[in-house]
């Protein structure tokens, strides 16, 4: 993290990572003379008071096409027949090239052709734009509340700077302009920006691989090994994709310059596929026991996701 005083115009910058299974928001209030301090939103509806967790489940619960709950609160509706919960909906936005499964066919199967990943259906009568708008609106509203509550004079600062706020959206390495355009339109419908022109001015995109590089360099003793000519790899093991990139350091002074040595690799091997493999394994192992019913398997997989798969 740069410890030099900030010299630009006063602004609020928020960064949203809308992930396949979990999502998070960070933000900073930068003003001349300040040292930029990035903070996480750690208070979300439905969390225990003392949790202070920066990650929330990427879930939207519906009843009769109406949004009932998002995030942690939506967990209460999973498995309830009166409700439908949108989960893993980020997979629907992947380009076709990313919907091809990287896993080999199951042992002994007669599977032929190009295998594709299994994507949970959206709730009845609800399209992908509506789901994204609902979840972005929820995240943005919670961020506003957290900022106003945890920043001195937060309400006045937010109201003064909201029209020039910079919004950064993290996207998988395999996404392109089509997915970015979709995200901009959803952000506008969610009330985060005022128009298409406003979206072009204030919304920026960062690949998850590039974001991982910044995170790693800020939280490691990079000054001890990062020098001109050094090469290093960064892997982001996410909810749906695993992004790997090899970098070479071109310059360290006066400004750090990194260059990709080869094109980033983006494969479908994220956490959701680990969860699904755990579900298949549990069904197979417990099929002849009193724990082999769907309800028991569902509860076990949920615990696995929360306690084992959630890192």
């Amino acid at each position: 993290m740069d410890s030099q005083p900030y010299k630009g115009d006063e602004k609020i910058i928020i960064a949203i990572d809308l992930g396949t299974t979990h999502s998070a928001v960070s933000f900073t209030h930068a003003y001349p003379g300040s040292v930029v301090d990035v903070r996480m939103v750690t208070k979300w509806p439905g969390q225990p008071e003392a949790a202070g967790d920066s990650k929330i489940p990427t879930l939207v619960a519906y009843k009769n096409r109406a949004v009932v709950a998002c995030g942690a609160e939506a967990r209460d509706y999973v498995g309830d027949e009166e409700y439908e919960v949108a989960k893993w909906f980020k997979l629907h936005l992947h380009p076709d090239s990313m919907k091809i499964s990287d896993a080999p066919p199951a042992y002994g199967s007669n599977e032929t052709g190009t295998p594709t990943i299994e994507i949970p259906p959206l709730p009845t009568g609800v399209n992908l734009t509506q789901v994204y708008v609902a979840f972005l609106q929820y995240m943005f509203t919670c961020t506003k509340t957290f900022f106003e509550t945890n920043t001195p004079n937060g309400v006045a600062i937010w109201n003064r700077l909201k029209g020039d706020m910079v919004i950064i959206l993290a996207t998988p390495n395999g996404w392109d302009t089509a997915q970015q355009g979709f995200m901009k339109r959803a952000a506008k419908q969610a009330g985060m920006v005022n128009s298409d022109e406003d979206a072009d001015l204030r919304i920026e995109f960062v690949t998850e691989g590039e974001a991982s590089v910044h995170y790693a360099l800020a939280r490691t003793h990079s000054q001890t090994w990062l020098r001109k000519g050094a090469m290093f790899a960064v892997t982001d093991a996410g909810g749906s994709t695993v992004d790997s990139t090899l970098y070479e350091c071109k310059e360290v002074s006066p400004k750090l310059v990194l260059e990709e040595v080869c094109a980033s690799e983006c494969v479908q091997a994220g956490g959701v596929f680990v969860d699904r493999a755990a579900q298949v394994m549990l069904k197979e192992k417990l099929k002849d026991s009193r724990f082999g019913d769907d309800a028991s398997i569902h509860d076990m997989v949920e615990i696995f996701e929360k306690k084992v798969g959630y890192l």
Side-chain angles (χ1 to χ4, degrees), residues 31 34 47 57 60 74 88 98 103 122 134 141 144 157 163-164 189 191 217 220 225 233 247 255 281 289 310:
Y31 53 90
S34 68
Q47 280 184 342
V60 184
W88 302 359
M98 290 179 63
L122 297 174
T141 300
K144 175 178 181 290
I157 293 172
D164 295 317
Q189 292 185 44
L217 294 179
T220 63
W225 60 266
Y247 292 93
K255 182 180 180 181
M281 183 272 291
S289 76
Y310 174 31

Side-chain angles (χ1 to χ4, degrees), residues 4-204:
Q4 297 298 314
Y6 176 73
K7 297 179 181 179
D9 296 332
E10 182 183 13
K11 63 180 63 177
I12 296 172
I13 304 169
I14 69 171
I16 297 176
D17 180 10
L18 197 163
T20 303
T21 58
H22 291 86
S23 298
V25 179
S26 61
F27 66 90
T28 189
H29 172 215
Y31 53 90
S34 68
V35 175
V36 175
D37 178 29
V38 178
R39 300 159 61 192
M40 301 294 297
V41 176
T42 55
K43 178 62 179 174
W44 300 93
Q47 280 184 342
E49 284 295 324
D53 200 341
S54 60
K55 289 185 179 181
I56 54 167
T58 308
L59 300 172
V60 184
Y62 289 85
K63 184 175 183 180
N64 298 327
R65 294 183 294 180
V67 177
V68 176
C70 295
E73 292 180 314
R75 275 181 172 156
D76 296 337
Y77 300 94
V78 175
D80 190 321
E81 293 183 356
E82 293 187 14
Y83 300 87
E84 294 181 90
V85 178
K87 61 178 291 188
W88 302 359
F89 53 85
K90 186 176 180 178
L91 300 179
H92 287 274
L93 193 52
H94 283 353
D96 290 341
S97 61
M98 290 179 63
K99 292 179 181 178
I100 299 173
S101 175
D102 290 295
Y107 178 75
S109 74
N110 295 318
E111 183 178 320
T112 59
T114 303
T116 57
I117 60 175
E118 180 185 347
I119 303 177
L122 297 174
T124 306
V126 178
N127 62 44
L128 186 59
T129 297
Q130 292 171 314
V131 178
Y132 262 89
V133 168
F135 200 73
L136 284 172
Q137 190 173 55
Y138 163 79
M139 296 184 76
F140 192 67
T141 300
C142 291
T143 301
K144 175 178 181 290
T145 301
F146 186 87
F147 181 94
E148 293 177 343
T149 305
N150 294 276
T151 304
N153 203 25
V155 174
I157 293 172
W158 183 278
N159 288 333
R160 187 176 74 249
L161 300 176
K162 63 182 180 181
D164 295 317
M165 180 185 301
V166 177
I167 300 168
I168 301 171
L169 301 176
T171 61
N173 288 21
W175 281 17
D176 207 336
T177 53
Q179 289 73 34
Q180 291 180 0
F182 176 94
M183 294 291 287
K184 282 184 177 181
R185 292 190 294 273
K188 184 182 75 171
Q189 292 185 44
M192 297 165 64
V193 292
N194 300 317
S195 64
D196 293 339
E197 293 75 16
D198 194 31
D200 290 338
L201 287 172
R202 296 201 288 120
I203 294 180
E204 299 183 12

